[in-house]
Amino acid sequence: MTVPAGCQLGRWRIIEADLWDRGYLNLGGPATIAIGPDNNGESPLAPCKPVSN
């Protein structure tokens, strides 16, 4: 994803989200977002469990 110019570079911990509670955010480890010097961001999502019908 591309982040707006002027964002603080580095790795940031995600502690709150409108759609998910903290338990879901941290399901695969601490929820983080990393913003690099090229203004590109990376944030791994919590793992998903496939459901069979």
Side-chain angles (χ1 to χ4, degrees):
M1 81 180 102
T2 302
V3 297
C7 287
Q8 293 289 328
L9 303 181
R11 183 171 298 277
W12 297 87
R13 179 82 190 265
I14 301 170
I15 59 170
E16 185 177 349
D18 290 340
L19 298 176
W20 305 291
D21 64 16
R22 190 174 288 192
Y24 183 78
L25 285 172
N26 296 326
L27 194 58
T32 60
I33 184 169
I35 301 173
D38 58 357
N39 279 342
N40 283 323
E42 180 180 302
S43 179
L45 297 176
C48 297
K49 180 178 178 184
V51 177
S52 175
N53 289 336

